[in-house]
Amino acid sequence: MTPATAVDALAALAQETRLKVFRLLVTAGPVGLAAGEVGAQLGIAANTLSFHLKTLSQAGLLVARQEGRFIYYAANYASMDDLIAFLTQNCCNGVACLPKTSAMATTAKRRKNSLKEYA
Amino acid sequence: MTPATAVDALAALAQETRLKVFRLLVTAGPVGLAAGEVGAQLGIAANTLSFHLKTLSQAGLLVARQEGRFIYYAANYASMDDLIAFLTQNCCNGVACLPKTSAMATTAKRRKNSLKEYA
DNA sequence: ATAATGCTTCAACACTTCTGGAAATAACGA
DNA sequence: TCGTTATTTCCAGAAGTGTTGAAGCATTAT
């Protein structure tokens, strides 16, 4: 992750509507949601939503796939991970400065839930 | 962390100069660096730097303390942690979607290094 | 006192971003 | 084919952001 890429991603998230959209898609899982569904759930006009989805996609935070007339958007977990790694790089020299972050996805949790759940 | 707080923090980080400053202070540890030192290391004019330090501080990402003529700025690890927790909340239902993030600060690492290192 | 140092504030300008209406494109159904 | 649905693009105006030079405060040194 380059500084420029990180700035793009952060700028994309630094807007109320886009942050709502992103968080909705983060909880929605890898399958994602159709654009219209996102708009309906959050009460956003189609053209405005399209603008914000484009911004998030260009920043690499969302991936889009077409299915018939619908376009599904899903969170790009890998780039979110890269962004967080970039922000916390060399933080505190390994001391426990980020308790919530480290608790969030422990090795134990990872072992308990397999990726196949989404297959 | 409220959505508004998160947007403020993300907006503060979504700027090349500020991101550089923040990352420098993240690696600098809890003691922080004097404003002038930050400016010297990154090559930023005093007035410009002051503007950006203020933005980062108001967003809660930095804490400032005066020491004589110098003002030391340090990363606020707690708010960075809150921000990451906010972004990744309910992500992927516990599946291993953020490998780097979870590897970043494991329980093992936390035990190995005590907070007293900075006392 | 006076000067020097460290940092901040102010005002002005160029530049970018967000929003909303209207029109365009694309896929499907009758 | 024609209409409907899903989504995007274009445009213009309003609002916000970053940079610069000059001036202003505090704190320390002479």
Side-chain angles (χ1 to χ4, degrees), chain B residues 83-116:
Chain B
L83 178 61
I84 294 171
F86 181 83
L87 285 178
T88 57
Q89 205 168 29
N90 304 322
C91 95
C92 243
N93 301 311
V95 173
C97 49
L98 304 172
K100 289 184 192 174
T101 300
S102 54
M104 186 211 66
T106 63
T107 304
K109 271 193 204 158
R110 272 186 281 151
R111 245 183 247 118
K112 198 174 139 198
N113 305 280
S114 118
L115 269 173
K116 288 177 193 157

Side-chain angles (χ1 to χ4, degrees), chain A residues 1 3-15 18-19 56 59 61 83-84 86-87, chain B residues 6-7 9-16 18-19 22-23 83 87:
Chain A
M1 159 115 9
T5 309
V7 167
D8 286 349
L10 290 163
L13 293 171
Q15 208 278 339
R18 282 196 297 266
L19 186 55
L56 286 164
L61 291 165
L83 179 61
I84 294 171
F86 180 83
L87 285 177
Chain B
V7 167
L10 290 164
L13 294 172
Q15 208 278 338
E16 197 183 346
R18 283 196 297 266
L19 186 56
F22 181 72
R23 298 222 311 153
L83 178 61
L87 285 178

Side-chain angles (χ1 to χ4, degrees), chain A residues 3 8 13 22 28-29 38 41-42 51 59-60 63 68 72-73 79 82 91 93 95 100:
Chain A
D8 286 349
L13 293 171
F22 182 72
V38 174
Q41 286 200 36
L42 301 178
F51 170 79
V63 287
Y72 280 78
Y73 285 89
S79 63
D82 286 348
C91 96
N93 301 312
V95 173
K100 289 184 192 173

Side-chain angles (χ1 to χ4, degrees), chain A residues 65-87:
Chain A
R65 69 173 197 287
Q66 183 130 16
E67 255 179 50
R69 278 192 282 199
F70 302 88
I71 298 184
Y72 280 78
Y73 285 89
N76 183 349
Y77 296 99
S79 63
M80 181 165 74
D81 196 24
D82 286 348
L83 179 61
I84 294 171
F86 180 83
L87 285 177

